Amino acid sequence: MFTNDNISAVLQDLKSISITFLIASLSGIFLNWLTAPAPYLLGSLVGVWILSSKNKILKEAMGIPRWFQIGIILGIGTLVGANFQPNSLELMSRWIPSVLSMFIATIVATAIGLTYLTRLRKYEFNLALLSCIPGGQAEMILISRELTEKDYVVALFHLVRVTLVFCFVPIMLALVQGMEAVRSSNINLATMPSILDLDIKTLFYFATISIMSLPIAKYVRLPMPHLLGPLAVSSILHITGLIALPRINEFLILAQMTIGGIIGLRLASVNFNEIAKYLKDAILSALLVVSAFALMAILTALILDVQFLRMLLAFIPGGFYEVTLLSLIFGFDVAFVAFHHSIRVVLVFLLLPLTISKIHKKV
């Protein structure tokens, strides 16, 4: 039952969302006019970050509540699952070599980051491992609260890495494939079906899968249920050929602004006076880990004769939501990208507690 307090809270949330999206959309439109890669993604991040950092009143007025974030993530999972087709199971068997390569890259990148933090910077093992291991950002932060007192340091490390990838990949697209590829990706987004072009049945399927898959995912205890739940349900329905959902222009723009705005607000909220001593280590650790994945992606792309950027998006640890959204925007094989990241995140999520307990027994 709704109370006056509930209604007041919802109205306040809607006000915060409106202010945030106003800044995000104006920044995105400006970058789109400049033909920047992923304009609404980068525009919302930079615009929200700069303005909320410079204006305390504006910073307090902006925000994207958790319930809205969850709704966007559920929708992303559903659209990512829509990229699987009846022949996807056959394709997955062909992806085994690149999955193995990605798994090796995860071990190597984690070892490099761990060595840097423990040997050179003298970090405590748990803190170092949690900070450099490329798992799900939210999940690593959640686990870190139980394994280290400095969970804010873990959050900073993952935030820096995700932001680095978030800004790096669109720029890499421009450098590797030229500005024409950037224009094509922006045109691709603009020409996707509008929500106004879709029939009621399609919208019903999209909403139903997004909403009903969450309790199912929680019941079977899937990690990252908000994303993997709708992804799994949508994938099964598309692989069996029961439904076929298109990408939705307005939703993808909304998703870009949501994720960009969230990261921008997180960056603005970091208290640099308190954790400045960790920032240099976070940047260097992120560069080491991302570079290791990028090099492994290059080698794998050459050996398997696969497009480099496609492999890079499948390998690079930039946050599951962020990287799958980038692959949607740029028109890459989202099923390929999502499958690799799903495998990595699930393995990390399952093996991390075991790894830490084994190390503690030896100490």
Side-chain angles (χ1 to χ4, degrees):
M1 183 175 179
F2 285 103
T3 65
N4 289 335
D5 289 341
N6 294 143
I7 295 173
S8 178
V10 171
L11 291 175
Q12 182 58 46
D13 284 347
L14 293 176
K15 180 181 176 182
S16 299
I17 293 170
S18 299
I19 295 172
T20 306
F21 281 176
L22 175 62
I23 295 169
S25 59
L26 291 176
S27 303
I29 291 170
F30 177 67
L31 286 192
N32 188 47
W33 178 70
L34 294 176
T35 323
Y40 292 97
L41 205 58
L42 293 180
S44 56
L45 187 156
V46 175
V48 169
W49 178 20
I50 292 176
L51 290 178
S52 59
S53 297
K54 298 295 183 181
N55 191 307
K56 185 178 180 180
I57 296 176
L58 193 57
K59 178 181 177 181
E60 292 176 352
M62 287 195 290
I64 300 176
R66 178 65 178 165
W67 60 264
F68 191 88
Q69 297 176 32
I70 290 173
I72 293 297
I73 293 168
L74 290 171
I76 291 175
T78 300
L79 289 185
V80 169
N83 287 274
F84 289 88
Q85 302 299 326
N87 66 339
S88 292
L89 291 178
E90 179 187 347
L91 291 174
M92 285 180 190
S93 64
R94 301 178 188 174
W95 298 342
I96 292 176
S98 58
V99 169
L100 291 174
S101 180
M102 179 271 300
F103 187 62
I104 293 171
T106 301
I107 295 173
V108 171
T110 303
I112 291 172
L114 191 60
T115 301
Y116 166 70
L117 292 177
T118 56
R119 297 288 180 85
L120 298 180
R121 304 301 300 163
K122 307 301 180 184
Y123 278 54
E124 182 266 331
F125 178 83
N126 279 10
L127 180 61
L129 180 61
L130 289 164
S131 297
C132 69
I133 195 167
Q137 181 187 11
E139 286 68 29
M140 288 301 102
I141 295 171
L142 182 63
I143 292 174
S144 69
R145 292 173 182 170
E146 301 176 3
L147 298 173
T148 179
E149 295 179 357
K150 297 182 178 180
D151 59 314
Y152 63 91
V153 176
V154 176
L156 175 67
F157 271 71
H158 284 272
L159 179 58
V160 167
R161 191 186 72 244
V162 169
T163 304
L164 177 68
V165 171
F166 198 61
C167 297
F168 166 75
V169 171
I171 294 171
M172 176 63 75
L173 175 75
L175 292 175
V176 172
Q177 296 189 324
M179 288 306 296
E180 188 57 40
V182 175
R183 293 189 188 93
S184 297
S185 68
N186 292 345
I187 292 171
N188 180 49
L189 177 63
T191 55
M192 285 180 186
S194 168
I195 193 170
L196 299 176
D197 300 328
L198 303 178
D199 56 41
I200 297 297
K201 184 171 72 172
T202 300
L203 293 174
F204 174 77
Y205 285 151
F206 176 69
T208 302
I209 294 170
S210 301
I211 295 170
M212 298 305 296
S213 58
L214 180 56
I216 296 172
K218 288 184 174 180
Y219 180 77
V220 299
R221 298 184 178 181
L222 268 180
M224 302 176 66
H226 304 106
L227 184 72
L228 295 187
L231 193 158
V233 173
S234 180
S235 299
I236 292 170
L237 292 174
H238 282 84
I239 287 173
T240 54
L242 293 176
I243 62 172
L245 295 177
R247 300 174 186 178
I248 304 172
N249 176 277
E250 292 86 353
F251 181 82
L252 287 180
I253 291 177
L254 186 65
Q256 289 184 68
M257 293 194 297
T258 300
I259 292 179
I262 290 169
I263 295 178
L265 288 169
R266 285 178 184 168
L267 285 172
S269 65
V270 173
N271 188 338
F272 288 105
N273 292 328
E274 186 176 335
I275 58 176
K277 62 180 180 179
Y278 295 107
L279 186 58
K280 178 182 176 182
D281 291 336
I283 294 172
L284 288 175
S285 173
L287 288 172
L288 287 171
V289 170
V290 170
S291 296
F293 273 99
L295 288 173
M296 199 67 180
I298 292 173
L299 291 174
T300 306
L302 290 173
I303 293 171
L304 300 180
D305 192 24
V306 177
Q307 186 184 18
F308 164 65
L309 280 174
R310 178 190 182 206
M311 192 64 68
L312 180 67
L313 279 171
F315 275 40
I316 201 163
F320 198 122
Y321 314 136
E322 291 81 3
V323 174
T324 50
L325 182 58
L326 283 170
S327 61
L328 276 168
I329 296 167
F330 294 140
F332 289 106
D333 188 342
V334 187
F336 180 82
V337 172
F339 182 74
H340 283 70
H341 282 277
S342 297
I343 295 295
R344 191 191 75 244
V345 170
V346 170
L347 287 175
V348 168
F349 190 76
L350 294 176
L351 296 177
L352 179 63
L354 180 63
T355 302
I356 288 179
S357 64
K358 289 282 187 183
I359 294 295
H360 281 181
K361 285 181 181 179
K362 293 180 180 180
V363 174

